[in-house]
Amino acid sequence: MSDFFNANLVLVQSTLTGLLLALSIQVPLRMGVFSFAGAGSYGIGAYATGILVLRYEMDALPAIALTALGTAVIGLLLGALISRLGGLYLAMATVAFDLIISVIAINGGELTGASTGLFGIITDFTTGQMFVLTVAVLALVAMSEVGRLGRRVDTVRDDPELAASMGINVRRYRLAAFVVSGALGGLAGGMNVLVRSTVGPLDIGFGLIVLALTMIIVGGSRSWKGALIGAVIFTWLPDLLTVIGEWQELVYGVIVAVAAIFLPRGIYGVLQDGTRWVQRVRRDRRAAARGGPVVDADGGLRPQEDEAAVLVAQAAEQPVRELDQLSGRTQGAP
Amino acid sequence: MSTPVVQTDDAGTAGTAPVLELRDVAVHFGGVKAVDGISLQLEPGRIYGIIGPNGSGKSTLIAGITRLTGLTRGELLLDGQPVHDVAPSRLAGRGVARTFQTVRLLADLTVRANVQIGADARADGGRSRRGPTGWLRPGATSPAVADAIARTRLEGFEDHYPAELSYGTQRRVEIARAIAMGPRLLLLDEPTAGMNQTERAEISALMRSMRTGGLCQLLVEHDVQMMIDTCDYVFAMNSGRLIAQGAPAEVVRDPAVQEAYLGRKWREHADGD
Amino acid sequence: MQDLVSVVTLGSVYLLFALGMSITWGTIDILNFAHGSVFMFSAFSASLVLERLTLGLVPVLLIGVVVGALMSVLIQVVAFEQIIKRARDRRTAEMQILIGGIGVAIIPLAIAQHHTQSNPFGLNASSFTVESISLGGLRITNIQVLTVLLALALWAAAAVWLRRSRQGLALRAIGVDAQTAALMGVDRRRLALVTMAVAGGMAGLSGVLFTFSLGAITPESGDTLLVKAFACIILGGVGSMLGVAFGAYLLAAAEVVILTQTNGSWVEAVSFGLIFLVLLVRPAGVFGRKEVRRT
Ligand SMILES: Nc1ncnc2c1ncn2[C@@H]1O[C@H](COP(=O)(O)OP(=O)(O)O)[C@@H](O)[C@H]1O
Ligand SMILES: [Mg+2]
C-alpha cells in the first residue's frame, strides 16, 4: 500500500487538487450558477501562495489559509458584480475573468515571474496535510448536499421563484456560490503550487476550465461523489491509457463528448438512477405486501389526458357555455 | 394529529384586524395592465375566492402579493406593516404561503422531501424531532410534514417521485408543501385544475377544516360550485380590476360577472362561426 | 495609417469568424463552443491535403469551407440535436450545449495536436504565395485584401439572407419566438442544419485565410478566437448583424491601439475586459434587441 502510494505520489496529489478544482466549479453549478470563476481563483491561489512563500517567507499552512480567505473575498466581490447576469452571459463573464487572470500573470513582472512564472516554492507541506485538508473540505461540501441545506440548494437551482416563495434568499445563495467557489479554487491552486513548487502562466487559463468541466461531466454534476469519480478517472486515465498508446488524447476527448451528450448527470447520475430503481422496486413490493397503493390511487392520469378528459366532460355536460354553469348551479344552490 | 400545522391566531379572534390589505395595487407589464388598481382586505379565519376569466390578472395579483412581481404602484400591508419593499423570501417567514398555477415540484426529490421544503421555511425548520446531530434522520418524517401529508391524504406516497404520480396527486403535494410552511395566509392559484369532483370536494373540505386555526385563505378557482361550497367571500376580476365582490352566490349572479365570462365566450363563439 | 490597415484586416478576420457564431446563437440559440475547433481543423485539413497535392488558392479555400460546413453539421446532428432532445428545459439545454461544445471540441484538437505534436502548422505548400502590395504608401498583402473583401461580402450576404430570403425569415422567426415559428410551419431541424452549415463554412474559410496571412497557426488558437468572437457579439448585441460588425472592428481597433501603445502582452486582456465591461454596463450590447434574461 505505501509502496503504491510512494510510487504514485504525484498522481495522488493531482487527484486531490483536481478534485478541489472540480468542486470549485461544481458547487456553483449545483446552485444553478453557471460560473467558471473557480478556474480563475485557482490561478490567483497558485500565484498568491507562491508569492507569500517566496517573497514573504510564510509557512505553508498560513499561506494557504490566507490564500483561501483572499480568493473567497475576491469571489464575493466578483459575485456582487455579476451574479445578477443569467445563464450564458454569466458563464462568459467568468470565462473572461479567468483569462484576465492569465494575462495578469504574464504581465506581473517580477512579482509573478512573467512568462517563466514562479519556481523554487519549497515548504514543509506534506501530502498528509494535503489529504487532511481535502477531506475536511469534502466533508463541508458533502454537508451542503444533505438535509435542509441540500434541499434548499436543489430548490434554488431548479426553481428560483419557488425558492423565493419558500423563504429562501436566492441572491444570498448565489453569492455564497461565488464565495465557496473562490475559496475552493484558491485552496486547490495553493496546494498544487506547494507540492509542485512551481507555477507558470501555462498552468492556468482555458485548459483549467476544460479539465474541471471534464471531471464534472464524466463523474457527475450533482454530487461531490461525481467530482471525486471524475477526478480519479481523469488523473489516472492518461496513465492507464498509455497502453492505448499515442491516441490517448483522442480517447479522452471521445469519452468527454459522449458523456456530455448522453449522460448529462455523469457516471454518478447513472449509479443514482440505478439505486433509485432498486429502491422503487423494494418500496412497491413492501406496499404490495401491506396491501397499500402500488400505483397512483386515481389511476395515474397524465396531465394531457386529464385536461382532455375535463374538456370532453365539459363539452358533454355543458354544451353551451360557462354561464350555464354559473347561473344553473347558483339557482340550484340553497 | 399531535402538532397543529396551522398556527393559531394570537388574538384568538377571527374576523378582526386584516391579515392582508391591498391599497390600489397595480402591476403593469409594459402596456399590459395585468392588475390595475385593486384594493381589498383579508381577515383571519376566512376563506376568500377570486374568479375571473383567463387573463384577468388573478395569477399576477398573487405574484404581486408574494412579491415575485414588482408592483407598479400601490401598497401591500401584512398585519398592518407595509411589505411592498421586503424581499419575497422574507414573506414566507411572516406566514405567507402559496401554490402556483402549474405544478412546480422538484423532480429529483421524493414527495416527503418536497413537502419538507415547505417545513424548512418554518422558524423551527419543522425539525422539532431532530436526531442527535441536529439532522433529521434519513427517511424520518418531521411532524409538520407528517401532518401536511395526512391532511392532503398523501399517505403511502411519501417515497414516490413526482413523475410517478397523477396530475391531481401532484397538485395535492403542492398544497401539502404550502401547508407544511405553517402559514397564516395561504394563497392557492387554481389548486384543483385537473382534479376530479371527488378530489375537489376533498380540497374544499381541507380548506374549511383549516379555517378553525385562524388561517386566512385566498382561492383562485373557476369551478363555481367549488367556490360556493368553500368561500366566505368572493372577488370577481376582469381586465385587472375588481368588478364585483360579496357572498359567493351573489357575485356569481352579478350581471357584470356574467358579462365578463359570457361576453368573451360570445365573441369567441361568433368568431368561430 | 498603417495601423488602420491592421485594424481593418484584423477586424475582418474577427468578423468572418464571429459571423457564424452570431448567426447560430441569435437564431437557433446555439452558442457553439466547438466553433473554434472547426476554424482550426478546417485549416489543418487543408494543410494535410497540401502535404499530398499542390493546390492553388481557390481549391484550398474550398477545402476549408467544405470541411468546416461538414464538421459543423456533424456536430449539430451528433451532439446538439441529441442534447436538445433530452434536455428538460431551455435553460438546461443552453448550458449543456455550451458544455457539450467544449467536450466535442476536444476531439479535433486532439487529432491535430497528435499530428503536429502541438507545433504550428501552415499552408506554405500551396502554389499560392502571399505577396505584399503597396497601395499609396500602405503595405498590405494580397491575402489581407481578400480577407477584407470576403468578410464584408459574406457579412452583407448574411445580413440580406437573414432579412430577405424565405429561409432568413424563418430563421428570424425562430430567433424571435420558437413557438410562433413552429406554428408558421417552419421546419426547425432543416433550418438549424442549414444555419450550422453556413456558420461552419464561414469558420472554415476564416481558418484558411487566417492561416495564410499569419503563415502558421497552432492547434490551440481556436480557443482564444472563440472568446474574442464572443466579445464581438455581445459588444454589438446578440442577434444583430450590424452589431457583430461593429464589435469585430471595435475590438480590432482596441487591440491595435493597445499593441502600439504598450509592449503588446496586454493585448489579450482587451477582449476579456470588454466582455466584462459590456456585460456590466449594457448587457444587451450596443445594437441589441433582446433583453438579457436575469435571474
Ligand atoms: N411576465 C409577464 N409579462 C408580460 N405579460 C404578462 C406576464 N404575466 C402575465 N402577463 C399578462 O397579464 C395578463 C394577466 O395574466 P394572469 O395574471 O396570468 O391572468 P389569470 O391568472 O387571471 O389567467 C395576461 O394578459 C398576461 O398575458
Ligand atoms: Mg392564472
PDB file of all heavy atoms in Angstrom, chain A residues 256-274:
ATOM      1  N   VAL A 256     -15.284  12.296 -23.065  1.00  0.00           N
ATOM      2  CA  VAL A 256     -15.900  13.529 -22.594  1.00  0.00           C
ATOM      3  C   VAL A 256     -17.114  13.896 -23.450  1.00  0.00           C
ATOM      4  O   VAL A 256     -18.190  14.211 -22.937  1.00  0.00           O
ATOM      5  CB  VAL A 256     -14.887  14.689 -22.619  1.00  0.00           C
ATOM      6  CG1 VAL A 256     -15.567  15.991 -22.238  1.00  0.00           C
ATOM      7  CG2 VAL A 256     -13.745  14.395 -21.686  1.00  0.00           C
ATOM      8  N   ALA A 257     -16.938  13.813 -24.765  1.00  0.00           N
ATOM      9  CA  ALA A 257     -18.027  14.204 -25.650  1.00  0.00           C
ATOM     10  C   ALA A 257     -19.248  13.307 -25.443  1.00  0.00           C
ATOM     11  O   ALA A 257     -20.372  13.781 -25.318  1.00  0.00           O
ATOM     12  CB  ALA A 257     -17.566  14.140 -27.106  1.00  0.00           C
ATOM     13  N   VAL A 258     -19.003  12.007 -25.360  1.00  0.00           N
ATOM     14  CA  VAL A 258     -20.121  11.073 -25.178  1.00  0.00           C
ATOM     15  C   VAL A 258     -20.839  11.351 -23.861  1.00  0.00           C
ATOM     16  O   VAL A 258     -22.071  11.410 -23.791  1.00  0.00           O
ATOM     17  CB  VAL A 258     -19.616   9.606 -25.223  1.00  0.00           C
ATOM     18  CG1 VAL A 258     -20.702   8.658 -24.735  1.00  0.00           C
ATOM     19  CG2 VAL A 258     -19.211   9.251 -26.634  1.00  0.00           C
ATOM     20  N   ALA A 259     -20.068  11.562 -22.793  1.00  0.00           N
ATOM     21  CA  ALA A 259     -20.692  11.836 -21.504  1.00  0.00           C
ATOM     22  C   ALA A 259     -21.485  13.141 -21.552  1.00  0.00           C
ATOM     23  O   ALA A 259     -22.611  13.214 -21.056  1.00  0.00           O
ATOM     24  CB  ALA A 259     -19.620  11.911 -20.410  1.00  0.00           C
ATOM     25  N   ALA A 260     -20.888  14.160 -22.186  1.00  0.00           N
ATOM     26  CA  ALA A 260     -21.559  15.460 -22.232  1.00  0.00           C
ATOM     27  C   ALA A 260     -22.892  15.356 -22.955  1.00  0.00           C
ATOM     28  O   ALA A 260     -23.872  16.009 -22.595  1.00  0.00           O
ATOM     29  CB  ALA A 260     -20.659  16.493 -22.919  1.00  0.00           C
ATOM     30  N   ILE A 261     -22.939  14.520 -23.990  1.00  0.00           N
ATOM     31  CA  ILE A 261     -24.155  14.443 -24.790  1.00  0.00           C
ATOM     32  C   ILE A 261     -25.175  13.487 -24.181  1.00  0.00           C
ATOM     33  O   ILE A 261     -26.344  13.814 -24.038  1.00  0.00           O
ATOM     34  CB  ILE A 261     -23.808  13.996 -26.226  1.00  0.00           C
ATOM     35  CG1 ILE A 261     -22.896  15.026 -26.879  1.00  0.00           C
ATOM     36  CG2 ILE A 261     -25.080  13.835 -27.048  1.00  0.00           C
ATOM     37  CD1 ILE A 261     -22.187  14.513 -28.094  1.00  0.00           C
ATOM     38  N   PHE A 262     -24.707  12.313 -23.786  1.00  0.00           N
ATOM     39  CA  PHE A 262     -25.672  11.270 -23.412  1.00  0.00           C
ATOM     40  C   PHE A 262     -25.851  11.086 -21.910  1.00  0.00           C
ATOM     41  O   PHE A 262     -26.851  10.527 -21.473  1.00  0.00           O
ATOM     42  CB  PHE A 262     -25.266   9.939 -24.055  1.00  0.00           C
ATOM     43  CG  PHE A 262     -25.291   9.993 -25.553  1.00  0.00           C
ATOM     44  CD1 PHE A 262     -24.131  10.099 -26.286  1.00  0.00           C
ATOM     45  CD2 PHE A 262     -26.508   9.973 -26.222  1.00  0.00           C
ATOM     46  CE1 PHE A 262     -24.162  10.171 -27.668  1.00  0.00           C
ATOM     47  CE2 PHE A 262     -26.541  10.043 -27.599  1.00  0.00           C
ATOM     48  CZ  PHE A 262     -25.374  10.146 -28.322  1.00  0.00           C
ATOM     49  N   LEU A 263     -24.904  11.526 -21.118  1.00  0.00           N
ATOM     50  CA  LEU A 263     -25.029  11.354 -19.667  1.00  0.00           C
ATOM     51  C   LEU A 263     -24.932  12.707 -18.972  1.00  0.00           C
ATOM     52  O   LEU A 263     -23.940  12.987 -18.305  1.00  0.00           O
ATOM     53  CB  LEU A 263     -23.917  10.446 -19.121  1.00  0.00           C
ATOM     54  CG  LEU A 263     -23.787   9.041 -19.672  1.00  0.00           C
ATOM     55  CD1 LEU A 263     -22.575   8.362 -19.048  1.00  0.00           C
ATOM     56  CD2 LEU A 263     -25.040   8.228 -19.405  1.00  0.00           C
ATOM     57  N   PRO A 264     -25.967  13.547 -19.091  1.00  0.00           N
ATOM     58  CA  PRO A 264     -25.826  14.895 -18.528  1.00  0.00           C
ATOM     59  C   PRO A 264     -25.575  14.891 -17.026  1.00  0.00           C
ATOM     60  O   PRO A 264     -25.052  15.855 -16.492  1.00  0.00           O
ATOM     61  CB  PRO A 264     -27.152  15.572 -18.868  1.00  0.00           C
ATOM     62  CG  PRO A 264     -28.068  14.501 -19.330  1.00  0.00           C
ATOM     63  CD  PRO A 264     -27.244  13.346 -19.768  1.00  0.00           C
ATOM     64  N   ARG A 265     -25.918  13.810 -16.318  1.00  0.00           N
ATOM     65  CA  ARG A 265     -25.639  13.783 -14.891  1.00  0.00           C
ATOM     66  C   ARG A 265     -24.474  12.863 -14.560  1.00  0.00           C
ATOM     67  O   ARG A 265     -24.241  12.541 -13.393  1.00  0.00           O
ATOM     68  CB  ARG A 265     -26.886  13.414 -14.099  1.00  0.00           C
ATOM     69  CG  ARG A 265     -27.830  14.620 -13.992  1.00  0.00           C
ATOM     70  CD  ARG A 265     -29.240  14.209 -13.597  1.00  0.00           C
ATOM     71  NE  ARG A 265     -29.273  13.513 -12.349  1.00  0.00           N
ATOM     72  CZ  ARG A 265     -30.029  12.429 -12.127  1.00  0.00           C
ATOM     73  NH1 ARG A 265     -30.786  11.956 -13.077  1.00  0.00           N
ATOM     74  NH2 ARG A 265     -30.028  11.859 -10.955  1.00  0.00           N
ATOM     75  N   GLY A 266     -23.740  12.452 -15.576  1.00  0.00           N
ATOM     76  CA  GLY A 266     -22.495  11.756 -15.366  1.00  0.00           C
ATOM     77  C   GLY A 266     -22.640  10.332 -14.842  1.00  0.00           C
ATOM     78  O   GLY A 266     -23.735   9.797 -14.717  1.00  0.00           O
ATOM     79  N   ILE A 267     -21.482   9.722 -14.542  1.00  0.00           N
ATOM     80  CA  ILE A 267     -21.479   8.345 -14.059  1.00  0.00           C
ATOM     81  C   ILE A 267     -22.248   8.243 -12.746  1.00  0.00           C
ATOM     82  O   ILE A 267     -23.032   7.322 -12.537  1.00  0.00           O
ATOM     83  CB  ILE A 267     -20.026   7.863 -13.863  1.00  0.00           C
ATOM     84  CG1 ILE A 267     -19.323   7.765 -15.220  1.00  0.00           C
ATOM     85  CG2 ILE A 267     -19.990   6.513 -13.154  1.00  0.00           C
ATOM     86  CD1 ILE A 267     -17.869   7.405 -15.136  1.00  0.00           C
ATOM     87  N   TYR A 268     -22.031   9.214 -11.872  1.00  0.00           N
ATOM     88  CA  TYR A 268     -22.741   9.147 -10.594  1.00  0.00           C
ATOM     89  C   TYR A 268     -24.253   9.206 -10.796  1.00  0.00           C
ATOM     90  O   TYR A 268     -25.000   8.531 -10.096  1.00  0.00           O
ATOM     91  CB  TYR A 268     -22.285  10.275  -9.659  1.00  0.00           C
ATOM     92  CG  TYR A 268     -22.962  10.197  -8.313  1.00  0.00           C
ATOM     93  CD1 TYR A 268     -22.648   9.175  -7.421  1.00  0.00           C
ATOM     94  CD2 TYR A 268     -23.947  11.109  -7.949  1.00  0.00           C
ATOM     95  CE1 TYR A 268     -23.280   9.062  -6.208  1.00  0.00           C
ATOM     96  CE2 TYR A 268     -24.592  11.001  -6.737  1.00  0.00           C
ATOM     97  CZ  TYR A 268     -24.248   9.981  -5.867  1.00  0.00           C
ATOM     98  OH  TYR A 268     -24.900   9.877  -4.671  1.00  0.00           O
ATOM     99  N   GLY A 269     -24.675   9.975 -11.775  1.00  0.00           N
ATOM    100  CA  GLY A 269     -26.106  10.037 -12.070  1.00  0.00           C
ATOM    101  C   GLY A 269     -26.659   8.678 -12.476  1.00  0.00           C
ATOM    102  O   GLY A 269     -27.754   8.290 -12.060  1.00  0.00           O
ATOM    103  N   VAL A 270     -25.872   7.945 -13.255  1.00  0.00           N
ATOM    104  CA  VAL A 270     -26.305   6.605 -13.671  1.00  0.00           C
ATOM    105  C   VAL A 270     -26.417   5.689 -12.459  1.00  0.00           C
ATOM    106  O   VAL A 270     -27.408   4.975 -12.274  1.00  0.00           O
ATOM    107  CB  VAL A 270     -25.318   6.015 -14.699  1.00  0.00           C
ATOM    108  CG1 VAL A 270     -25.680   4.580 -15.012  1.00  0.00           C
ATOM    109  CG2 VAL A 270     -25.313   6.857 -15.956  1.00  0.00           C
ATOM    110  N   LEU A 271     -25.384   5.743 -11.591  1.00  0.00           N
ATOM    111  CA  LEU A 271     -25.426   4.923 -10.370  1.00  0.00           C
ATOM    112  C   LEU A 271     -26.653   5.267  -9.535  1.00  0.00           C
ATOM    113  O   LEU A 271     -27.344   4.398  -9.016  1.00  0.00           O
ATOM    114  CB  LEU A 271     -24.155   5.153  -9.539  1.00  0.00           C
ATOM    115  CG  LEU A 271     -22.845   4.719 -10.182  1.00  0.00           C
ATOM    116  CD1 LEU A 271     -21.664   5.049  -9.281  1.00  0.00           C
ATOM    117  CD2 LEU A 271     -22.878   3.225 -10.480  1.00  0.00           C
ATOM    118  N   GLN A 272     -26.913   6.583  -9.451  1.00  0.00           N
ATOM    119  CA  GLN A 272     -28.039   7.057  -8.647  1.00  0.00           C
ATOM    120  C   GLN A 272     -29.369   6.544  -9.213  1.00  0.00           C
ATOM    121  O   GLN A 272     -30.233   6.077  -8.463  1.00  0.00           O
ATOM    122  CB  GLN A 272     -28.034   8.575  -8.661  1.00  0.00           C
ATOM    123  CG  GLN A 272     -28.549   9.174  -7.393  1.00  0.00           C
ATOM    124  CD  GLN A 272     -28.422  10.682  -7.429  1.00  0.00           C
ATOM    125  OE1 GLN A 272     -28.238  11.281  -8.499  1.00  0.00           O
ATOM    126  NE2 GLN A 272     -28.523  11.298  -6.285  1.00  0.00           N
ATOM    127  N   ASP A 273     -29.498   6.632 -10.528  1.00  0.00           N
ATOM    128  CA  ASP A 273     -30.728   6.126 -11.154  1.00  0.00           C
ATOM    129  C   ASP A 273     -30.903   4.646 -10.839  1.00  0.00           C
ATOM    130  O   ASP A 273     -32.008   4.182 -10.579  1.00  0.00           O
ATOM    131  CB  ASP A 273     -30.681   6.336 -12.675  1.00  0.00           C
ATOM    132  CG  ASP A 273     -30.863   7.790 -13.045  1.00  0.00           C
ATOM    133  OD1 ASP A 273     -31.313   8.554 -12.166  1.00  0.00           O
ATOM    134  OD2 ASP A 273     -30.564   8.155 -14.191  1.00  0.00           O
ATOM    135  N   GLY A 274     -29.791   3.921 -10.851  1.00  0.00           N
ATOM    136  CA  GLY A 274     -29.841   2.500 -10.545  1.00  0.00           C
ATOM    137  C   GLY A 274     -30.341   2.247  -9.132  1.00  0.00           C
ATOM    138  O   GLY A 274     -31.277   1.471  -8.920  1.00  0.00           O
TER     139      GLY A 274
END
